[in-house]
Amino acid sequence: MMNIQRIMKQAQAMQKKMEEMQEKLAQEECEGSSGGGMVKVTLNGKFDMKKIVIDKSLVNPEETDILEDLITAAYNDAKNKVDANMQKGVSDVTGGLNLGGLKLPF
């Protein structure tokens, strides 16, 4: 029979590691780009946009739809990178244990 106290200690240790990982990931930044690097978006680990860089050649009032699409694509690229970092962090903390689609609270 498993020792319930041991299991509880392991769960508490895992929770502490998860909190530390979340804090670390919140500080990291990922850059996404689109249009061959003409639009770049930087997000932190909480998906807050920290920076956007737009190549001046894209600033044309008659082509705002292209610019809007490129900004959206760059944001999504950065978001996917943040997601990948989170999944790696969770996997590192849990030792690859599948926790049934656990989503981080931010």
Side-chain angles (χ1 to χ4, degrees), residues 12-28:
Q12 288 172 341
M14 186 180 291
Q15 181 179 7
K16 184 175 189 306
K17 285 182 182 180
M18 195 70 105
E19 289 170 0
E20 290 169 355
M21 184 259 324
Q22 288 173 344
E23 288 175 24
K24 179 183 172 206
L25 288 175
Q27 300 302 317
E28 291 183 10

Side-chain angles (χ1 to χ4, degrees), residues 3 10-12 24 34 36 50 56 58 74 76 85 89 91 106:
N3 183 341
Q10 288 176 334
Q12 288 172 341
K24 179 183 172 206
S34 65
K50 303 307 275 180
K56 296 194 185 328
L58 292 174
N76 289 332
N85 281 350
S91 180
F106 52 77

Side-chain angles (χ1 to χ4, degrees), residues 38-39 52-68 70-71:
M38 295 179 81
V39 174
I52 185 167
V53 176
I54 301 170
D55 187 283
K56 296 194 185 328
S57 67
L58 292 174
V59 183
N60 180 343
E62 289 152 22
E63 296 182 358
T64 57
D65 55 334
I66 294 170
L67 183 56
E68 291 164 354
L70 289 171
I71 291 169

Side-chain angles (χ1 to χ4, degrees), residues 28-46:
E28 291 183 10
E29 293 185 349
C30 291
E31 180 182 278
S33 65
S34 65
M38 295 179 81
V39 174
K40 297 177 185 173
V41 171
T42 303
L43 304 180
N44 69 9
K46 292 183 178 182

